Amino acid sequence: MVNYLINAAKGAVVNLTRAMALDYGKYNIRVNNVCPSACATPMFLANPADVVNQFNQMGRICTPQEVAEAMYFLASDASRSCNGVNLPVSGGLELHTGQPVQ
């Protein structure tokens, strides 16, 4: 049951970001969202190595610093054309082609 609730909450944030971006864009207010996945926090790294490695398709997982840098980018003028963005900071963990792994 908990996974359903977490996924529903994350979906709500994604749609809230889009709706607020549409509503507030006319006031030159941008609304964006950072979507981190597995992150090298002490809590995550306390898992057994096989659990950590299943999230490690690039040979590494993102750091809290990298998540903060994505947030800084979206808050800065460098992203002035970004509005309604749900930016994955995941190292590609959400990517798949539907093809078998080779």
Side-chain angles (χ1 to χ4, degrees):
M1 178 72 168
V2 173
N3 285 337
Y4 297 120
L5 298 174
I6 291 170
N7 288 331
K10 288 182 179 191
V13 171
V14 166
N15 285 322
L16 179 64
T17 299
R18 292 175 181 154
M20 289 179 70
L22 287 168
D23 289 345
Y24 292 102
K26 62 188 167 197
Y27 303 111
N28 203 30
I29 297 172
R30 297 178 292 121
V31 181
N32 296 298
N33 175 30
V34 174
C35 306
S37 65
C39 191
T41 62
M43 185 174 84
F44 181 76
L45 294 174
N47 285 297
D50 60 325
V51 172
V52 172
N53 289 334
Q54 79 181 18
F55 291 95
N56 199 356
Q57 75 186 49
M58 288 182 59
R60 57 182 293 279
I61 56 175
C62 74
T63 65
Q65 177 72 28
E66 291 168 327
V67 176
E69 288 168 356
M71 295 169 72
Y72 181 81
F73 165 72
L74 287 175
S76 75
D77 282 340
S79 69
R80 63 187 162 272
S81 291
C82 296
N83 190 28
V85 169
N86 289 288
L87 179 64
V89 181
S90 66
L93 290 178
E94 76 284 357
L95 300 176
H96 56 86
T97 64
Q99 300 297 313
V101 177
Q102 300 193 19

